[in-house]
């Protein structure tokens, strides 16, 4: 069956799921609008200040709006965060102290956190170099949380548990909000003072609540992923308990400055508007994920998540089985991108990653995965990870090209 026929078949099969996604987008948009209304967001909040960034009314209100949307006590949304990894690192360095232990409960962390923790690299000030201990609970053979091990895993010096919501570059189910709620409950039963921290990247607006609404103490993520709505130019956020948010933001700025500083460089309008657009953009990405899973499953490739399965992030993985197919897939996606369609993705090293990556992402914001993109590490079993999509029809067009490219290899 050719690509266009498969796409047409998938569209019919997924019509009810697409309708359900639209209903969820509506609920999430209500949540955003309610927060905008509560804090009386107006054009005057779009103005920024210079220099130290003191008394930036727009930034202060955006923090309040974001906290409300996240179901958190406080939030700090800053363009000074270089990436989601930077926001996560600030949260970890802000909260952890020498002698504390951090426990990762969902197996190995995302590649870019390995050097932050100290699992790779040296002499750059990793957590391990600062005397912070690290331990991780391995996943079960099915790739799920080892609930039995977690029920007795918390030690007296376990200051923080790291909950990575998304699968990252691993072949496992991403975590649902219900999973995170269960993790938090098990941790707090053992020690109510242990901080439950969620790497929320790729997960915002997938469900109708965020991890802080079900007991997580702190979370962090990137603004050029889900919550930026494809238009925010840079930045990240932390949200959760007010004391923990302040500790995290003190690592971004300095003790004594904390959340009071940081100019917004006239980005406030885009930050507000991106948050408004985010539920819709995430909904379209989820549709694109469903479409991708359906057609590649029909072609006989292992996919994760499975077709028709509930989505837990904006990532759809396909096990392509060979470097040639991985490169052909990414090349086809690049050719159907709005920016840089003439470029040829080639495997290359990237800061923070262990393996060479091949990446396709002709996006308007460099590094954004809210617009349709695909990438994967050049290592067995040669999995491509598809993310984002501003409209599922763009995903459909790109998939037709990718199917033809793979069939020609």
């Amino acid at each position: 069956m050719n690509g266009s026929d498969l796409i047409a078949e998938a569209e019919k099969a997924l019509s009810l799921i697409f309708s359900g996604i639209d209903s969820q987008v509506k609920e999430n948009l209500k949540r955003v609008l309610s927060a905008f209304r509560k804090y009386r967001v107006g054009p005057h909040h779009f103005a920024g200040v210079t220099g130290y960034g003191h008394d930036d009314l727009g930034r202060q209100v955006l923090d309040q709006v974001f906290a409300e949307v996240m179901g958190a006590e406080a939030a700090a949304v800053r363009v000074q965060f270089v990436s989601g990894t930077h926001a996560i690192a600030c949260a970890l360095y802000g909260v952890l102290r020498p002698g504390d232990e951090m426990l990762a409960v969902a197996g190995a962390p995302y590649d870019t956190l390995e050097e932050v923790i100290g699992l790779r690299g040296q002499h750059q000030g990793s957590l391990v170099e600062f005397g912070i201990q690290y331990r991780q609970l391995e996943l079960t053979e099915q790739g799920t949380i080892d609930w039995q091990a977690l029920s007795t895993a918390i030690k007296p010096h376990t200051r923080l548990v790291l909950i990575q919501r998304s699968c990252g570059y691993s072949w496992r189910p991403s975590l649902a909000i219900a999973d995170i709620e269960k993790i938090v409950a098990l941790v707090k039963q053992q020690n109510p003072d242990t901080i439950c921290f969620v790497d929320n990247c790729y997960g915002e607006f997938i469900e109708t609540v965020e991890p802080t609404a079900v007991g997580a103490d702190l979370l962090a993520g990137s603004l050029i992923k889900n919550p930026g709505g494809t238009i925010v130019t840079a930045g990240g956020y932390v949200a959760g308990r007010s004391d923990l948010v302040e500790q995290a933001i003190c690592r971004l700025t300095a003790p004594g400055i904390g959340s009071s500083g940081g100019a917004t460089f006239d980005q406030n309008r885009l930050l507000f508007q991106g948050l408004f657009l985010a539920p819709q953009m995430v909904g379209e990405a989820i549709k694109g994920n469903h479409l991708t899973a359906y057609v590649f499953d029909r072609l006989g490739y292992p996919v994760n998540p499975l077709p028709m399965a509930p989505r837990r992030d904006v990532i759809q993985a396909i096990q392509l089985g060979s470097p040639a197919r991985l490169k052909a897939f990414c090349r086809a996606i690049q050719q159907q991108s709005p920016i840089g369609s003439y470029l040829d993705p080639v495997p290359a090293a990237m800061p923070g990653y262990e393996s060479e990556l091949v990446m396709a992402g002709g996006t308007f914001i460099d590094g954004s995965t809210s617009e349709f993109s695909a990438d994967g590490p050049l290592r067995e079993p040669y999995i491509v990870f598809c993310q984002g999509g501003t409209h599922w029809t763009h995903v459909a067009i790109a998939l037709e090209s990718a199917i033809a490219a793979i069939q020609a290899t």
Side-chain angles (χ1 to χ4, degrees), residues 248 257 313 357:
I257 297 175
D313 58 19
L357 297 182

Side-chain angles (χ1 to χ4, degrees), residues 77-337:
V77 183
R78 296 293 183 274
V79 294
Q80 285 83 6
F81 283 123
V82 173
S83 62
T85 298
H86 185 198
I88 293 164
C90 285
L92 297 177
Y93 281 100
V95 169
L96 293 166
R97 300 290 182 269
D100 288 344
E101 180 189 67
M102 179 173 78
L103 173 66
V105 299
Y110 191 64
D111 287 33
T112 58
L113 284 181
E114 291 177 355
E115 292 184 76
V116 172
I117 294 166
L119 304 179
R120 284 191 293 116
Q122 56 184 341
H123 308 311
Q124 290 188 319
S126 68
L127 293 172
V128 169
E129 288 179 6
F130 276 97
I132 293 159
Q133 300 172 44
Y134 174 76
R135 182 165 52 104
Q136 70 186 39
L137 297 184
E138 302 302 336
L139 299 170
T140 66
E141 291 183 1
Q142 293 73 38
T144 57
I145 299 291
D146 189 334
W147 299 108
Q148 185 173 354
L150 178 58
S151 66
T152 57
I154 305 303
K155 298 179 180 180
H157 63 299
T158 306
R159 170 66 172 158
L160 178 146
V161 296
L162 170 64
I163 306 167
Q164 184 173 294
R165 185 173 179 180
S166 174
C167 62
Y169 278 154
S170 60
W171 190 266
R172 71 160 174 88
S174 297
L175 300 180
I177 289 292
D179 297 324
I180 295 171
E181 186 173 21
K182 185 176 178 180
I183 291 169
V184 171
L186 280 174
V187 170
K188 297 295 185 180
Q189 283 173 13
Q190 297 168 72
N191 184 354
D193 295 328
T194 297
I195 295 164
C196 292
F197 170 68
V198 178
D199 170 356
N200 209 33
C201 290
Y202 305 103
E204 299 91 348
F205 298 110
I206 295 295
E207 299 189 47
T208 53
V209 295
E210 298 298 328
T212 34
V214 295
D217 299 297
L218 186 65
L219 51 80
S222 169
L223 294 180
I224 63 169
K225 305 297 190 282
N226 300 18
T230 77
I231 65 171
V232 173
T233 54
Y237 71 90
V238 290
R241 267 174 37 193
S242 56
D243 60 325
L244 300 178
V245 169
E246 194 63 23
Q247 287 178 345
I249 210 70
C250 279
R251 292 302 96 197
L252 177 67
T253 56
I257 297 175
S259 58
S260 298
T264 47
F265 305 110
D266 293 321
Q267 297 292 300
N268 283 339
R269 181 186 64 80
L270 288 176
L271 294 166
F272 278 109
Q273 190 174 3
L275 182 59
F276 168 73
L277 293 173
Q280 179 69 33
M281 295 299 101
V282 171
E284 292 301 315
I286 297 172
K287 291 177 185 178
N289 283 353
H290 276 289
L291 198 68
T292 304
Y294 186 97
V295 298
F296 274 87
D297 176 74
R298 289 279 281 111
L299 289 169
Y301 292 93
V303 297
N304 178 41
L306 293 170
M308 311 292 190
R311 302 290 117 169
R312 297 173 175 182
D313 58 19
V314 292
I315 298 174
Q316 178 62 52
I318 311 164
Q319 198 173 116
L320 294 173
S322 82
R325 283 194 287 268
L326 176 56
K327 287 184 278 190
F329 185 99
C330 289
R331 189 176 299 117
I333 300 304
Q334 186 73 40
Q335 289 170 353
Q336 298 298 332
S337 297

